């Protein structure tokens, strides 16, 4: 059974700093890993998707990496802004007869201090 | 197409009542998922459809829960004889069975059972 862990549960950083969010998973046979953002009381917004054959993906100020051998993924946010404050969730998918259901971590609640 | 739509956004119901939620996926997406999220936790998988076929159900989905996806388009999730423990955010997501296509989530339906 795939287990996904995100540490720390909460993080506060001053505006403008670069930061890294961590995600670890137990099953290295991961098919893909996706990072999401969730604002309070809202649904999930997809940020980045990394296939198992890839090592990283970039979108604007965001960069996500995937290391299957160590069971780790990181989300790097450059030049943080107050609007980045949200909960960030990572989720891994295993192939299962074509059903790529996601297993989520519990998230990191990020607060950017103006 | 504006993404995945869920209705209603909020539902308050008395214990013992039945409730039904609707999800309209992105039109070309053939996969549809239901997840449940409680406060402070990541979403947990409930069930999955490939077109109109329900291919997997989580053990979390007791016999009071039923999901349908007639004609492979919209989906409904019904909870019968609601209990206070059913209070949660119910999230719907859709995707394509194509490499590189991740999940798109809706805004969710928040259920409160009083």
């Amino acid at each position: 059974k795939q287990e996904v862990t995100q540490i720390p549960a909460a993080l506060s950083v001053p505006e403008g700093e670069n930061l890294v969010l961590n995600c670890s998973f137990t099953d290295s046979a991961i098919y893909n890993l996706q990072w999401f953002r969730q604002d309070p009381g809202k649904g999930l917004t997809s940020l980045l998707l990394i296939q198992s054959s890839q090592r990283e993906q970039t979108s604007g100020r965001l960069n996500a990496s995937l290391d299957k051998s160590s069971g780790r993924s990181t989300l790097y946010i450059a030049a943080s802004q107050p609007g980045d404050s949200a909960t960030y969730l990572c989720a891994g998918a295993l192939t299962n007869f074509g059903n790529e259901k996601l297993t989520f971590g519990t998230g990191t609640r990020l607060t950017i201090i103006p | 197409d504006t993404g995945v739509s869920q209705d209603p956004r909020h539902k308050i119901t008395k214990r013992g009542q039945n409730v039904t939620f609707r999800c309209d996926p992105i039109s070309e997406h053939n996969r549809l998922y239901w997840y449940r999220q409680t406060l402070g936790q990541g979403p947990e998988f409930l069930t999955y459809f490939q077109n109109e076929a329900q291919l997997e159900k989580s053990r979390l989905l007791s016999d009071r829960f039923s999901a349908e996806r007639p004609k492979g388009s919209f989906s409904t999730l019904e909870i019968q004889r609601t209990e206070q423990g059913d209070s949660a955010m119910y999230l719907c997501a859709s995707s394509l069975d194509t490499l590189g296509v991740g999940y798109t989530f809706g805004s969710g339906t928040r259920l409160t059972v009083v």
Side-chain angles (χ1 to χ4, degrees):
Chain A
K1 178 187 173 186
Q2 177 76 278
E3 293 184 2
V4 180
T5 304
Q6 291 185 251
I7 296 173
L11 180 66
S12 295
V13 300
E15 180 180 0
E17 285 197 2
N18 304 326
L19 61 100
V20 175
L21 304 179
N22 296 298
C23 171
S24 61
F25 46 91
T26 56
D27 193 332
S28 61
I30 197 165
Y31 183 73
N32 63 46
L33 189 135
Q34 200 164 354
W35 282 92
F36 295 89
R37 167 189 173 133
Q38 187 173 33
D39 293 292
K42 305 295 185 182
L44 278 65
T45 300
S46 178
L47 298 174
L48 289 164
L49 168 69
I50 311 176
Q51 298 294 333
S52 61
S53 58
Q54 299 171 325
R55 292 192 63 85
E56 65 179 88
Q57 284 286 329
T58 297
S59 176
R61 295 182 295 108
L62 306 180
N63 175 278
S65 69
L66 176 63
D67 184 342
K68 291 179 58 178
S69 62
S70 66
R72 294 184 59 187
S73 177
T74 62
L75 179 67
Y76 174 84
I77 302 177
S80 57
Q81 303 171 358
D84 295 330
S85 297
T87 295
Y88 290 81
L89 295 153
C90 69
L94 295 174
T95 51
N96 181 19
F97 302 103
N99 171 10
E100 298 168 19
K101 66 182 180 183
L102 294 176
T103 300
F104 282 84
T106 53
T108 294
R109 189 173 68 254
L110 176 65
T111 301
I112 305 301
I113 305 165
Chain B
D1 193 353
T2 57
V4 178
S5 299
Q6 291 189 246
D7 183 71
R9 293 294 302 276
H10 304 276
K11 178 70 176 180
I12 299 174
T13 190
K14 292 183 178 180
R15 188 175 54 187
Q17 298 294 305
N18 300 341
V19 294
T20 300
F21 310 141
R22 176 179 171 124
C23 171
D24 287 89
I26 292 174
S27 57
E28 61 267 29
H29 284 186
N30 58 347
R31 292 180 170 177
L32 187 147
Y33 301 80
W34 285 97
Y35 284 76
R36 180 172 68 185
Q37 185 179 28
T38 53
L39 197 63
Q41 300 298 311
E44 295 175 295
F45 171 79
L46 291 179
T47 191
Y48 152 68
F49 291 85
Q50 174 98 5
N51 300 312
E52 67 275 10
Q54 186 174 20
L55 298 187
E56 186 171 347
K57 293 171 61 175
S58 164
R59 285 174 294 177
L60 293 174
L61 214 65
S62 75
D63 56 7
R64 296 185 297 106
F65 288 70
S66 63
E68 295 181 343
R69 193 184 182 195
K71 304 178 183 178
S73 55
F74 71 92
S75 176
T76 58
L77 177 68
E78 181 182 16
I79 309 174
Q80 296 182 328
R81 305 181 302 281
T82 52
E83 303 173 355
Q84 287 189 319
D86 297 330
S87 296
M89 175 78 88
Y90 290 83
L91 294 161
C92 175
S94 68
S95 73
L96 268 175
D97 55 355
T98 301
L99 187 68
V101 177
Y103 278 49
T104 300
F105 276 85
S107 299
T109 293
R110 178 164 297 282
L111 173 66
T112 302
V113 181
V114 297

